Amino acid sequence: MKNSRRRFLKIAGLSFLGLAGSRMLPSSSAEAATAPAEERPVYRNGERAFNARHWGMVINTRAFDNAEIFAAVISACHKYHNVPDIASKQEVKWIWKAGYHETFTDQLDNYPAKSVVERHYPLLCNHCVNPACVRVCPTQATFRRSDGIVAMDYHRCIGCRYCMAGCPFGARSFNFRDPRPFVADVNSAFPTRMRGVVEKCTFCSELLAVGEMPLCVKASNGTIAFGDLSDPNSKVRKLLAENFTLRRKPTLGTEPSVYYII
Amino acid sequence: MIEKVLKGPISFYAWLAVLGGVISLGAMVYLLQLFLGLRITDLSRDVSWGFYIAQFTYLVGVAASAVMLVLPAYFHHYKQFKKMIILGEFMAIAAVVMCMLFIVVDMGQPQRVLNVILHPTPNSIMFWDMTVLTGYLLLNVVIGWVTLEAERHQVDPPKWIKFFIYLSVFWAFSIHTVTAFLYAGIPGRHYWLTAIMAARFLASAFCSGPAILLLLAFLLKRITGFEPGKDAVRTLSKIIAYAMGINVFFYALEVFTAFYSQIPGHMHPMVALFSGHDGHSLWVNAWMWTAAVLALVSLLLMALPSTRDNEQLLPFTLAILVLATWIDKGLGMLIGGFTPNTFEQITVYSPSIAELTIGLGIYAIGALILSLLWKIALDVKREAGTF
């Protein structure tokens, strides 16, 4: 009994060593080395891609404020990105319309200019330079790309919603239910999401990759400018130099990349 | 030792059956949530955490509170606690398991939970919380089991366990500190953005946890005749009194900073919690006032030696203390963090029936674990003559 167990262990150990050793034999490693380097997958930007070091957005709220433009921008974004139309407090939204005090909660001016306080403002993810959502995410399902875009991996997200607590701008939505029945016309060019994950505006990173501007920019009739904030000659930087702008909650130090011309 | 759960009075198994029933009910509702999503909760885009995360937070405190027995017993050689220590350690195990379950039921994609380990992210406090909670669970399992085994054989526990016991003292502080950091490091949630959060959490844990332990010990005495020891009860009551005093004091500090500085962001959550918003009261207002009154009454009754040592009154005092701390941490903490929301608007949240049922199921799982572990501990004590 004892003897046979010992023999069994011996044989098992030897065969394990044999298996492990064969993996390390020169023949198998030589095979890997001869594989052409080009075949290994590498991430490269497409030839048509728009590139920047820090994507940012400047919204001319003076010109933006009418119902048609809001409807055009919101539906362009939501239709393309398969954002479900759920009418409850468990709604999902990427870009939406809000009043002055909801938008700029720190502007507690008693006698604000009438035109400013009566205006509506488009809200979306600020793609912060120092994003709290990225800092708190336990799985790196949300992350900041080298071009400044704060992106989401819907397949890695565990739905803990820490990012929603972390985001001071209420930019994130959670799929409390399966969103697909609430998408009227599914756009097969962009993935739908499943229940239990968080989503938000992507700055249309998927379109920038093929050389197209974000949908809200295209639908905005020139009232939203989009460009490289790190480039002093970019259109966005020129607009910032010429106009008075506000960012939402700048004192929190998240450094939003979305500017509002007031 | 595990065989001890196989031999017991009918009433014990009837109790387990009742718990099993409650657990099944919770499990069925959880299955529903798994298939339908978190839509069956009252959580929303603006109030994205609620009852589940609040219970998790409260129970981390209960788990950490075992240290209030371990520390005096091992650092100050306070022998009177030695008899009860195993109850505290086993309660910590039940509490940590409940914490973990409350996290899992809050997740939108629980089947992906291992992503936290597959993609470890040290900058996320959630990662550290998972680490310290798992560590604390293991520590208590090992310490509880090894010391009980030694008690059973009527020998001193092995020397190496001392290291883990000392480690568990610091570890207990760490679990609740890290849990507080989940909240206290978030920009833009005024009610949570306070340096005193971890200290408040610990103070509230060190009064409510031992209070729950004492209440359960009194119940145990009625059922089994196990005598925790008069001195032990009196000392633990004193510890509860001090911790509750510090807890109330810390909350007063928050109130002072908010209302003396008059900074609107600091005042808004407290105003919302206690008196509503724009003239509309919220359902939580009555709860918060109840908590405030019960906290002060229980503090007074715990502070005065005559009422604290009154054995008839003590269970009542402890019960209202537990209720007060539970409302503060298990309701107000989370609602206050999300009210007003990031747009300075009010979105009302009140836990749905589904949330409460699932929560009840998890509490029943905790009670089941506690019943089994305490049964083992008491039977071992009976045999060893340390009952």
Side-chain angles (χ1 to χ4, degrees):
Chain A
M1 179 73 184
K2 200 172 183 184
N3 218 358
S4 72
R5 187 167 69 187
R6 217 158 124 189
R7 218 170 47 218
F8 169 76
L9 284 174
K10 250 187 206 163
I11 293 167
L14 275 176
S15 32
F16 174 76
L17 274 178
L19 269 174
S22 73
R23 283 264 163 204
M24 286 182 265
L25 283 179
S27 69
S28 54
S29 61
E31 219 169 274
T34 49
E38 293 87 352
E39 276 179 28
R40 285 186 208 151
V42 243
Y43 290 103
R44 245 186 271 108
N45 279 348
E47 271 158 29
R48 287 184 297 145
F50 287 151
N51 300 305
R53 278 168 63 203
H54 179 194
W55 286 116
M57 185 177 272
V58 179
I59 302 168
N60 182 359
T61 66
R62 285 176 230 150
F64 199 89
D65 194 27
N66 65 70
E68 295 83 58
I69 207 163
F70 266 106
V73 162
I74 293 170
S75 84
C77 169
H78 285 189
K79 279 218 171 97
Y80 184 87
H81 294 117
N82 296 319
V83 175
D85 189 13
I86 298 165
S88 79
K89 62 179 183 176
Q90 298 181 338
E91 69 190 326
V92 178
K93 52 189 182 186
W94 286 23
I95 182 165
W96 67 101
K97 178 180 175 178
Y100 176 69
H101 290 297
E102 289 169 68
T103 307
F104 301 107
T105 49
D106 287 343
Q107 302 299 122
L108 298 166
D109 25 11
N110 273 348
Y111 309 107
K114 203 165 170 243
S115 65
V116 170
V117 80
E118 283 175 356
R119 208 175 284 167
H120 286 91
Y121 301 83
L123 300 190
L124 69 161
C125 171
N126 275 306
H127 296 274
C128 301
V129 175
N130 184 15
C133 55
V134 170
R135 201 181 313 140
V136 299
C137 177
T139 62
Q140 296 152 50
T142 192
F143 53 94
R144 189 168 181 268
R145 310 184 341 161
S146 57
D147 60 2
I149 294 179
V150 175
M152 270 290 303
D153 181 343
Y154 310 119
H155 298 97
R156 188 183 283 192
C157 174
I158 59 172
C160 71
R161 307 189 298 293
Y162 199 5
C163 57
M164 294 175 79
C167 174
F169 305 105
R172 293 176 163 268
S173 307
F174 178 71
N175 286 288
F176 284 92
R177 62 182 75 212
D178 179 12
R180 283 154 195 155
F182 298 87
V183 182
D185 241 331
V186 175
N187 169 24
S188 54
F190 196 81
T192 55
R193 274 73 65 196
M194 69 189 300
R195 69 170 183 274
V197 298
V198 172
E199 60 180 76
K200 67 168 194 72
C201 155
T202 60
F203 255 8
C204 287
S205 53
E206 75 284 357
L207 294 179
L208 292 170
V210 293
E212 283 184 52
M213 273 292 172
L215 293 160
C216 56
V217 178
K218 282 198 272 189
S220 73
N221 235 341
T223 55
I224 302 181
F226 190 78
D228 192 345
L229 286 169
S230 70
D231 174 9
N233 299 316
S234 65
K235 193 180 165 199
V236 281
R237 282 290 291 275
K238 283 197 180 114
L239 282 170
L240 291 175
E242 288 159 10
N243 296 279
F244 173 72
T245 53
L246 284 180
R247 288 189 292 174
R248 295 173 64 202
K249 306 188 184 181
T251 53
L252 297 180
T254 67
E255 292 283 340
S257 304
V258 176
Y259 292 76
Y260 296 85
I261 295 177
I262 301 298
Chain B
M1 289 188 288
I2 210 142
E3 75 281 357
K4 302 284 181 218
V5 301
L6 299 174
K7 226 173 77 189
I10 278 287
S11 54
F12 178 66
Y13 296 104
W15 163 242
L16 294 189
V18 169
L19 289 178
V22 178
I23 293 168
S24 321
L25 183 69
M28 278 191 287
V29 181
Y30 180 63
L31 273 182
L32 202 66
Q33 182 187 290
L34 209 53
F35 291 128
L36 296 179
L38 284 147
R39 61 188 272 200
I40 65 170
T41 68
D42 193 49
L43 294 167
S44 59
R45 202 177 180 282
D46 293 328
V47 186
S48 45
W49 280 343
F51 187 71
Y52 298 147
I53 294 296
Q55 301 322 298
F56 150 76
T57 309
Y58 191 75
L59 289 166
V60 174
V62 175
S65 74
V67 77
M68 286 294 103
L69 292 173
V70 177
L71 196 152
Y74 285 93
F75 282 16
H76 302 278
H77 307 289
Y78 184 70
K79 297 229 163 25
Q80 279 80 351
F81 275 174
K82 289 260 160 107
K83 200 173 166 192
M84 250 174 96
I85 251 178
I86 192 72
L87 300 185
E89 282 159 353
F90 280 170
M91 189 171 86
I93 292 174
V96 176
V97 171
M98 286 190 275
C99 288
M100 289 171 163
L101 289 173
F102 271 114
I103 290 279
V104 170
V105 299
D106 185 71
M107 281 171 32
Q109 288 292 331
Q111 65 274 44
R112 295 183 189 163
V113 63
L114 286 180
N115 277 1
V116 181
I117 296 162
L118 289 172
H119 311 287
T121 312
N123 52 275
S124 173
I125 301 294
M126 190 92 68
F127 167 77
W128 291 108
D129 217 22
M130 181 213 67
T131 312
V132 292
L133 275 180
T134 313
Y136 194 65
L137 180 65
L138 291 176
L139 275 176
N140 276 288
V141 169
V142 170
I143 293 168
W145 209 254
V146 168
T147 50
L148 192 64
E149 189 92 60
E151 193 170 336
R152 183 191 185 197
H153 297 304
Q154 301 176 38
V155 293
D156 282 339
K159 284 234 165 58
W160 58 266
I161 200 70
K162 276 268 170 75
F163 168 76
F164 291 100
I165 292 172
Y166 290 144
L167 183 65
S168 82
V169 170
F170 296 99
W171 208 283
F173 282 88
S174 85
I175 61 168
H176 220 23
T177 304
V178 172
T179 308
F181 284 178
L182 278 180
Y183 304 102
I186 291 179
R189 304 278 174 193
H190 304 295
Y191 195 57
W192 297 344
L193 192 72
T194 162
I196 210 173
M197 181 71 87
R200 247 182 80 197
F201 270 22
L202 286 166
S204 136
F206 293 158
C207 58
S208 60
I212 293 173
L213 182 66
L214 267 190
L215 282 173
L216 291 174
F218 293 153
L219 197 66
L220 206 60
K221 192 176 164 184
R222 283 216 166 171
I223 298 169
T224 67
F226 175 76
E227 173 59 65
K230 205 168 193 165
D231 281 342
V233 171
R234 288 202 167 178
T235 309
L236 201 52
S237 303
K238 248 179 234 157
I239 291 173
I240 295 169
Y242 276 106
M244 187 59 177
I246 297 170
N247 184 32
V248 170
F249 174 62
F250 282 172
Y251 199 81
L253 295 185
E254 299 273 23
V255 174
F256 171 80
T257 300
F259 289 93
Y260 193 81
S261 71
Q262 295 278 306
I263 296 174
H266 289 268
M267 296 191 290
H268 283 163
M270 280 192 220
V271 171
L273 282 177
F274 283 94
S275 73
H277 180 71
D278 274 347
H280 300 287
S281 55
L282 303 168
W283 68 269
V284 76
N285 297 157
W287 287 81
M288 289 308 288
W289 281 111
T290 310
V293 171
L294 293 184
L296 291 174
V297 171
S298 65
L299 176 60
L300 188 73
L301 293 178
M302 287 308 281
L304 299 173
S306 58
T307 45
R308 181 176 64 234
D309 294 338
N310 182 332
E311 281 171 22
Q312 263 73 50
L313 193 62
L314 189 57
F316 165 78
T317 314
L318 294 174
I320 63 171
L321 185 148
V322 169
L323 187 60
T325 52
W326 183 80
I327 294 171
D328 167 34
K329 216 159 155 188
L331 279 180
M333 248 292 300
L334 264 286
I335 293 176
F338 290 104
T339 317
N341 60 30
T342 49
F343 311 105
E344 294 289 331
Q345 311 289 310
I346 300 278
T347 306
V348 177
Y349 162 77
S350 54
S352 70
I353 300 288
E355 282 173 272
L356 296 175
T357 315
I358 292 172
L360 193 68
I362 294 177
Y363 274 107
I365 292 176
L368 181 77
I369 294 171
L370 191 70
S371 304
L372 294 176
L373 290 177
W374 279 17
K375 169 88 169 58
I376 295 172
L378 291 187
D379 281 0
V380 167
K381 277 175 184 293
R382 239 185 228 124
E383 274 176 23
T386 47
F387 191 71

